[in-house]
Amino acid sequence: MSVYLGETGVGTVVDTVDESTDSSEDLATAATAPGQVEAVEAPEDSPGHTTVSVGRMISEAREMLDTRELSRTLFLRLAELRGDEGGAEHTYVRDTLIELNLPLVRYAASRFRSRNEPMEDIIQVGTIGLIKAIDRFDCNRGVEFPTFAMPTVIGEIKRFFRDTSWSVRVPRRLQELRLALTRASDELSQQLDRSPTVPELAKALGISEEDVVEGLAVGNAYTASSLDSQSGDEEGEGSLAARLGYIDAALENVEYRESLKPLLAELPERERRIIMLRFFSNMTQSQIGEQVGISQMHVSRLLTRTLAQLRAGLISEE
């Protein structure tokens, strides 16, 4: 890499990358020199031809160095104002640190770009983690703030997905159990060359088979399907509600059953028992007679009279 220093500072930077050239020295020279940097192409016939926008690299490097230095200064000042939480200067320094380190949040949020959540929501959650990291950071420990803050920001984002991604809220213990079962299932599938059984999963994780079944069932709560969702088949079978629904044959008799309940309660004990044995236990008249201690003919007469009484009660209600 070569750097041309013109009258107004750095003129052009870009050349063929050569292993014998100390490119770090060139970049340092360009970064400390005044003026603007323009990116130009090396000759096409040069070996290892590469076009690099060094101007952007230097600009980002300068901003990073300036941000770190300013953050370090602000953290030292914030430490001096620990006893004045809520004061105007403390609030100003804290807010400035948050604004300076927002690029860190955007970088962490970009790792979750494939999720279905809006990026603005992920950045807001990551900003909460950034604020927590700023409040806990101790600049005297010799650790750079980005190194300290990144686990907190990512942890806050992961917690957000853990708490909001599930269609049905389940305890954290079961969420972690499902993740452990997924990892164990993948490992055992590779070892056994087949899907592992419940006892094998229980032995691998050192838990009971009941816990394995519960953890596997929890996976059904992660996503939910809309009843209005259409079938993915080309033929098309309508919505999910249309495919799941069916006609209940007993639905028409619900009204009659509810109307019969008070009428049955008014019957004498013997007649009510005969009705229960005949229509709910599906016993014949002879079997009912043996149960009640009367003849089959007597059972027949009692059934005829009782049914007529119930029928008359239903008609009178209508």
Side-chain angles (χ1 to χ4, degrees):
M1 179 182 295
S2 61
V3 180
Y4 171 74
L5 299 178
E7 296 179 356
T8 60
V10 181
T12 59
V13 180
V14 170
D15 207 326
T16 303
V17 177
D18 188 355
E19 295 181 356
S20 62
T21 304
D22 190 354
S23 58
S24 62
E25 293 183 1
D26 293 337
L27 181 59
T29 303
T32 54
Q36 290 187 336
V37 179
E38 298 177 358
V40 298
E41 293 187 2
E44 294 183 358
D45 57 349
S46 62
H49 172 70
T50 307
T51 303
V52 183
S53 178
V54 181
R56 179 180 299 176
M57 293 172 55
I58 295 174
S59 176
E60 291 178 355
R62 283 175 175 171
E63 291 179 1
M64 185 178 299
L65 291 174
D66 293 344
T67 300
R68 289 191 176 185
E69 290 297 330
L70 182 56
S71 294
R72 187 177 295 108
T73 302
L74 290 174
F75 272 118
L76 291 173
R77 183 55 182 161
L78 190 66
E80 297 174 357
L81 299 171
R82 288 297 183 190
D84 188 27
E85 285 83 354
E89 185 176 0
H90 181 277
T91 302
Y92 174 77
V93 173
R94 185 169 177 265
D95 292 346
T96 305
L97 282 170
I98 295 172
E99 293 178 4
L100 280 175
N101 292 279
L102 280 179
L104 182 68
V105 176
R106 287 191 286 270
Y107 172 76
S110 65
R111 298 176 54 181
F112 302 90
R113 191 180 302 275
S114 59
R115 300 296 185 96
N116 293 328
E117 295 293 333
M119 182 56 62
E120 292 79 6
D121 293 348
I122 301 176
I123 292 176
Q124 287 183 5
V125 174
T127 304
I128 296 175
L130 174 66
I131 295 173
K132 292 180 179 179
I134 290 175
D135 292 338
R136 296 200 304 261
F137 181 65
D138 186 358
C139 55
N140 295 322
R141 292 185 178 180
V143 180
E144 291 290 341
F145 178 71
T147 305
F148 174 83
M150 185 61 75
T152 305
V153 174
I154 294 179
E156 195 70 26
I157 296 175
K158 288 183 176 180
R159 189 178 300 109
F160 165 74
F161 284 116
R162 184 190 66 211
D163 295 339
T164 61
S165 298
W166 290 71
S167 299
V168 179
R169 183 72 175 90
V170 298
R172 180 177 179 180
R173 177 185 67 84
L174 294 179
Q175 295 182 18
E176 294 176 348
L177 176 60
R178 174 181 174 273
L179 294 176
L181 286 171
T182 302
R183 289 192 295 267
S185 179
D186 293 341
E187 294 175 359
L188 291 175
S189 296
Q190 294 179 357
Q191 297 174 7
L192 303 174
D193 199 21
R194 59 174 175 81
S195 298
T197 61
V198 170
E200 290 170 343
L201 288 171
K203 183 178 179 180
L205 295 177
I207 58 179
S208 64
E209 295 184 12
E210 290 76 10
D211 289 339
V212 173
V213 173
E214 186 180 16
L216 294 175
V218 162
N220 297 327
Y222 188 76
T223 57
S225 299
S226 172
L227 291 176
D228 296 326
S229 61
Q230 299 296 319
S231 173
D233 301 337
E234 294 182 359
E235 298 179 357
E237 299 180 0
S239 64
L240 181 60
R243 285 176 279 140
L244 292 177
Y246 64 93
I247 299 176
D248 189 354
L251 185 61
E252 296 179 357
N253 299 325
V254 171
E255 184 178 354
Y256 295 124
R257 289 181 180 179
E258 294 300 318
S259 300
L260 278 173
K261 285 181 180 180
L263 298 177
L264 289 173
E266 295 175 357
L267 292 176
E269 177 64 26
R270 186 178 63 173
E271 282 76 356
R272 184 165 60 249
R273 184 183 179 190
I274 291 175
I275 292 293
M276 298 296 292
L277 293 175
R278 179 67 183 91
F279 295 100
F280 292 91
S281 298
N282 295 321
M283 296 176 65
T284 63
Q285 293 183 5
S286 299
Q287 292 172 336
I288 295 173
E290 294 176 359
Q291 289 283 336
V292 180
I294 58 178
S295 65
Q296 183 267 334
M297 186 63 68
H298 196 183
V299 171
S300 178
R301 287 196 297 267
L302 289 175
L303 276 174
T304 302
R305 186 180 64 187
T306 305
L307 291 176
Q309 180 180 347
L310 293 175
R311 190 178 299 110
L314 288 175
I315 294 175
S316 63
E317 285 187 0
E318 293 179 358

